[in-house]
Amino acid sequence: MGRLRRSRVHNARRDVHRASRTRVRTRDLDQIQLIDLDPKNRAALEAQAVDYEKPGLAQHYCVECAKYYETDAALQSHWRSKVHKRRCKQLREPAYTIEESERAAGLGREGRRPTTVVGSSSEIMVDAA
């Protein structure tokens, strides 16, 4: 009976997952709603100047998904895809506000107890009688 060999796959798998999490990072929904979908900004994004560093020379851009495509056919096929339709549905919902996130974390006004004493104990006893 021989010694059992370790599999040694955990480290390599962790590195691959870390790389994939950061590789395809796009803009968040609230950034797209507040900045990109504004009519002036949207027109500027759809009619960008030629940029040799971006895919498709920055001529085929999906504003809702914040992605560049190589050809117009690829962009047209993306618009018909389930991924684009799902993203558009998410963008129709209103964005979270800072106050809403604080309330969800329990930091809102309605969750706090009053810290100051309204009256002294003698006033409370007089009111009870």
Side-chain angles (χ1 to χ4, degrees), residues 26-38 41-42 45 61-67 87 91 95:
T26 60
R27 298 181 70 149
D28 290 326
L29 292 174
D30 57 343
Q31 292 174 324
I32 293 171
Q33 283 177 341
L34 297 175
I35 299 168
D36 292 350
L37 293 180
D38 183 37
N41 294 337
R42 184 182 184 115
L45 286 171
Y61 184 72
C62 177
V63 178
E64 290 86 4
C65 300
K67 285 180 135 183
R87 184 67 165 236
L91 285 171

Side-chain angles (χ1 to χ4, degrees), residues 13 42 67 72 79-81 86 88 92 97 99 106 108:
R13 207 170 102 214
R42 184 182 184 115
K67 285 180 135 183
D72 191 44
W79 283 341
R80 291 188 303 269
S81 72
R86 189 181 311 133
C88 290
R92 278 188 228 118
T97 61
E99 293 81 19

